[in-house]
Amino acid sequence: MEQNATEDQIQAVAAKVESFGLKSTIINGTERTVIAAIGEKRGSFKESIESFPGVSALTPISAPYKMASREVRTEPSTIQVGSFTAGGGHVGYVGGPCSVESEEQLISSARAVKAAGGTGLRGGAFKPRTSPYSFQGMKEEGLKLLAQAREETGLAVFTEVMATEDVDLVCRYADVLQVGARNMQNYRLLEAVGKSGKPVLLKRGASATMDEFLLAAEYILNEGNDQVMLCERGIRTFESHTRFTLPLASIPYLHRRTHLPVIIDPSHGTGHTYMVHDLAVAAVAAGADGLIIEMHPDPPNAQSDGYQSQTFEQFAETMTRCQKVQRALAE
Ligand code: PEP
Ligand code: MN
């Protein structure tokens, strides 16, 4: 729309878009308002819309993902939930164990995250494990402990939802719904978390391309939920010195393609505790909007992912260093 377009003109164009059987979404930027028209191309659409008062230009969005595209929303999105903020210059720091195991384990972790300057608490209550014989998570009991930890520390709770039928349950306790790498292309689940209206941390599938990743985010956005964060957690390659290969190039690439915040997971991305610190610092230096890091009071005895989990001390050291880099970049 033109910079001085009136609210009536904006509403009239949105209604016209809908009359073509397309979905309209009004995006209010600081510079101008954009009306996204989503759907299949329609015959006389272009001519009809262009002649409406207040319309500046009709621009086809070349990216296959529309709502996620930077072409539609040119300014970076900021996601804010409780004390956690990511995007638009804010870096959100999430720490916590891979799995919620006990009250003592989770509450001590939450306190350590908070003390180190973290703003989000992670912890899996429903765990997607490669083997059906591995620990599957504490389920609702785990969710209750996460809510208790939030109560005590004020940290925003990030936890994975694995199945569509669990979305309501997880929403009752979580602040941010995590969709795991194995579920990145579970489209019914993406729609369900989209409908939930809760902020979502979408993890990249281990073999997903960037377009597939962004189209998965598009499923959530298409349900009217614009609180989506993209999490690069590493991809499967021929390399074996790391559990996955963590491409930090995803940060500038995604920042160019999308307005959504980019969160880096150096824990799954490397699979080795000793590498987590350096990759976390590098991610912040490369412009990441947030980090999600596994830490545990006793990593060797963790129920899952102990070999990539930091101790509380290591986590605190990583936080200090990352915040230092953040400050240096802001100068
Ligand atoms: C996790 O965060 O513990 C997890 C299972 O991550 P991912 O889905 O990236 O493997
Ligand atoms: Mn894990």
Side-chain angles (χ1 to χ4, degrees):
M1 301 297 291
E2 301 281 6
Q3 257 168 352
N4 58 1
T6 65
E7 186 55 33
D8 284 352
Q9 290 173 335
I10 292 167
Q11 292 303 333
V13 172
K16 187 70 186 169
V17 167
E18 300 269 342
S19 78
F20 274 91
L22 302 170
K23 200 161 141 183
S24 74
T25 302
I26 299 169
I27 301 161
N28 296 305
T30 49
E31 296 276 303
R32 60 170 67 220
T33 296
V34 172
I35 301 169
I38 316 273
E40 295 286 336
K41 220 179 235 170
R42 296 286 195 278
S44 59
F45 182 73
K46 190 173 185 322
E47 298 69 29
S48 169
I49 294 288
E50 270 179 339
S51 61
F52 258 66
V55 171
S56 163
L58 194 114
T59 315
I61 303 302
S62 52
Y65 37 89
K66 308 297 176 192
M67 302 297 292
S69 169
R70 194 116 201 181
E71 295 171 68
V72 167
R73 193 190 285 262
T74 50
E75 298 143 38
S77 294
T78 301
I79 311 279
Q80 205 245 318
V81 40
S83 54
F84 174 91
T85 312
H90 301 271
V91 182
Y93 295 102
V94 185
C98 178
S99 306
V100 179
E101 298 169 12
S102 69
E103 179 173 349
E104 160 67 19
Q105 174 245 19
L106 188 71
I107 303 293
S108 64
S109 300
R111 286 181 187 146
V113 169
K114 171 108 179 173
T119 48
L121 173 69
R122 62 150 293 145
F126 291 90
K127 293 306 301 177
R129 304 306 300 278
T130 302
S131 163
Y133 307 119
S134 300
F135 176 61
Q136 301 288 310
M138 289 179 75
K139 314 219 161 75
E140 190 167 3
E141 285 315 299
L143 294 173
K144 286 183 179 159
L145 291 176
L146 286 163
Q148 188 187 325
R150 171 184 47 223
E151 190 94 338
E152 189 187 313
T153 59
L155 295 170
V157 164
F158 287 60
T159 197
E160 178 161 357
V161 57
M162 279 173 57
T164 308
E165 59 269 28
D166 298 332
V167 171
D168 286 344
L169 173 71
V170 178
C171 277
R172 264 181 258 141
Y173 301 95
D175 296 305
V176 178
L177 303 177
Q178 179 175 323
V179 173
R182 293 156 188 81
N183 265 322
M184 190 205 81
Q185 286 179 311
N186 181 341
Y187 299 120
R188 296 289 87 81
L189 180 62
L190 298 176
E191 285 168 359
V193 298
K195 286 194 177 82
S196 79
K198 284 261 184 193
V200 177
L201 181 78
L202 177 66
K203 298 192 94 178
R204 180 184 185 182
S207 61
T209 64
M210 283 289 155
D211 272 7
E212 288 166 341
F213 190 18
L214 287 162
L215 281 165
E218 190 77 10
Y219 267 87
I220 303 169
L221 297 166
N222 189 40
E223 296 299 331
N225 184 349
D226 59 4
Q227 295 187 283
V228 180
M229 292 174 267
L230 300 169
C231 179
E232 173 60 83
R233 44 77 76 210
I235 51 173
R236 176 135 310 160
T237 70
F238 55 82
E239 257 307 342
S240 57
H241 74 291
T242 47
R243 182 180 178 190
F244 293 96
T245 294
L246 183 65
L248 293 183
S250 299
I251 303 166
Y253 181 81
L254 287 169
H255 280 162
R256 176 169 289 203
R257 298 286 166 205
T258 179
H259 51 88
L260 301 173
V262 180
I263 311 294
I264 296 294
D265 175 349
S267 309
H268 296 86
T270 61
H272 298 284
T273 304
Y274 82 92
M275 293 180 173
V276 171
H277 176 87
D278 290 340
L279 271 290
V281 174
V284 172
D289 302 298
L291 296 176
I292 182 163
I293 296 178
E294 288 184 340
M295 45 91 87
H296 193 280
D298 181 17
N301 290 304
Q303 294 262 23
S304 59
D305 289 356
Y307 48 82
Q308 66 190 31
S309 298
Q310 292 188 316
T311 60
F312 293 173
E313 293 70 31
Q314 289 169 326
F315 179 78
E317 222 170 278
T318 298
M319 286 294 94
T320 303
R321 194 85 188 146
C322 288
Q323 284 159 348
K324 220 172 188 174
V325 169
Q326 211 189 317
R327 282 196 300 275
L329 286 173
E331 272 169 15

